[in-house]
């Protein structure tokens, strides 16, 4: 829409949280691909009572106070080396959330082993390792876009998350 409320990370987070509230949605499975991991993390932390499960599909897995660019730099990569990434507000804004608000929410991480973002997703796997019992971790032999390459496998993972 081109206004500051929809072209920032916090704007995207507010859109999702507002939709869940406005439609009185509960026990929702939020799936985020790539940058969408930032959005679902922030949205779930705002309305944790409405979210049942988070599914990160080859996605950013932020810590509080990190931007997507911070996450990428943390892995030793230059964010501008990836096609389509620019220093725009959604990618440079730091996500603010309280991780304790996400503890009761189920979580799945899908790492695509042929992804051009493998350094970032390897970092996510390392973050998950110490709390592996709280995560369903999966790997797909796919590029960064498994929805196009393996739609049935992605659909099955989403359905599994809905059943938990």
């Amino acid at each position: 829409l081109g206004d500051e409320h929809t072209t920032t990370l916090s704007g995207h987070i507010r859109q999702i949280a507002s939709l869940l509230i406005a439609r009185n949605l509960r026990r929702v499975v939020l799936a985020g691909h790539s940058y969408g991991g930032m959005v679902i993390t922030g949205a779930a932390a705002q309305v944790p009572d409405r979210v049942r499960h988070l599914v990160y599909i080859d996605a950013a897995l932020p810590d509080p106070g990190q931007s997507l660019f911070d996450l990428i730099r943390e892995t030793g990569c230059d964010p501008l080396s990836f096609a389509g990434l620019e220093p725009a507000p959604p990618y440079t804004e730091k996500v603010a959330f309280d991780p304790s608000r996400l503890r009761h929410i189920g979580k799945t991480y899908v790492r695509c082993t042929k992804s051009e973002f493998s350094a970032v997703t390897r970092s996510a796997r390392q973050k998950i390792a110490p709390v592996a019992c709280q995560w369903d971790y999966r790997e797909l032999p796919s590029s960064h876009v498994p929805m196009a390459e393996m739609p049935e496998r992605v659909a099955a993972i989403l359905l599994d998350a809905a059943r938990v």
Side-chain angles (χ1 to χ4, degrees):
L1 298 174
D3 69 31
E4 67 187 65
H5 300 292
T6 58
T7 58
T8 63
L9 173 57
S10 54
H12 295 152
I13 290 168
R14 273 192 308 275
Q15 285 180 318
I16 300 301
S18 295
L19 176 69
L20 297 180
I21 293 166
R23 301 279 170 96
N24 196 26
L25 299 174
R26 298 195 181 276
R27 301 180 50 78
V28 171
V29 174
L30 290 179
H33 170 251
S34 195
Y35 157 77
M38 305 289 291
V39 178
I40 66 170
T41 300
Q46 282 191 8
V47 290
D49 57 315
R50 296 177 180 273
V51 180
R52 171 187 193 152
H53 205 99
L54 296 171
V55 181
Y56 294 82
I57 302 172
D58 214 48
L61 183 59
D63 290 324
Q66 280 189 316
S67 71
L68 181 62
F69 269 37
D70 292 337
L71 260 170
I72 294 170
R73 284 189 193 106
E74 183 179 84
T75 66
C77 297
D78 176 3
L80 300 178
S81 69
F82 295 104
L85 279 181
E86 56 188 48
Y91 310 135
T92 58
E93 182 181 349
K94 297 178 184 312
V95 65
F97 69 97
D98 176 355
S100 69
R101 294 177 60 87
L102 303 177
R103 281 199 187 108
H104 77 282
I105 298 172
K107 295 170 201 72
T108 298
Y109 194 91
V110 180
R111 182 171 178 261
C112 298
T113 59
K114 298 177 184 177
S115 172
E116 58 271 31
F117 293 97
S118 62
V120 177
T121 60
R122 243 189 330 273
S123 172
R125 183 177 185 188
Q126 292 167 347
K127 282 182 187 180
I128 292 167
V131 289
C133 62
Q134 299 171 18
W135 285 82
D136 176 17
Y137 176 82
R138 315 265 187 114
E139 288 188 350
L140 294 177
S142 169
S143 75
H144 184 56
V145 190
M147 301 77 66
E149 292 180 32
M150 309 178 93
E152 298 86 7
R153 297 273 303 271
V154 173
I157 290 168
L158 294 172
L159 290 170
D160 285 348
R163 285 187 199 103
V164 175

